[in-house]
Amino acid sequence: KREYTTEFKQKAVELSYARGNAAEVCRELGLNPSVLGRWRREAKKYGENSFPGKGNPKLTDEQREIAELKKKLRDVEIERDIPRKAIAIFS
């Protein structure tokens, strides 16, 4: 199984749109047309958040912001609960 860099994927997608002929780009780059098709769909759906790397989820800007806010909320809840637990222990 071949692995491609994020930059390669982005350039391949850009090239396929610029030329308007994805099959030709696939032949030149040695890609399976289904692979380039998947990359194009991902680029269209996720924009600059496409191709995040191994194990990292593809998120839209809104999804990424929601995840960050949820993490901040968890951190604040933990900070809030520490004094409550300390009071309960020492009471």
Side-chain angles (χ1 to χ4, degrees):
K1 181 179 177 183
R2 293 179 59 183
E3 293 188 23
Y4 302 97
T5 64
T6 300
E7 293 80 20
F8 179 84
K9 293 175 184 180
Q10 290 170 340
K11 293 293 182 184
V13 168
E14 290 172 13
L15 189 60
S16 71
Y17 283 122
R19 292 210 184 146
N21 188 348
E24 181 182 315
V25 172
C26 287
R27 279 193 300 276
E28 289 179 9
L29 298 177
L31 294 172
N32 188 319
S34 65
V35 171
L36 183 58
R38 184 178 69 240
W39 292 350
R40 287 174 62 149
R41 284 189 302 277
E42 288 178 16
K44 191 175 206 175
K45 184 174 181 180
Y46 298 105
E48 65 185 41
N49 297 322
S50 300
F51 322 121
K54 274 190 169 176
N56 298 322
K58 297 176 204 113
L59 302 173
T60 62
D61 290 332
E62 292 83 15
Q63 290 170 327
R64 179 166 286 144
E65 184 179 5
I66 289 169
E68 289 173 8
L69 292 172
K70 284 182 178 180
K71 183 180 182 308
K72 288 180 182 179
L73 179 60
R74 277 193 310 270
D75 293 345
V76 169
E77 287 174 343
I78 289 171
E79 289 175 11
R80 179 200 66 198
D81 291 343
I82 289 173
R84 286 184 182 175
K85 290 178 182 178
I87 290 171
I89 291 172
F90 293 116
S91 296

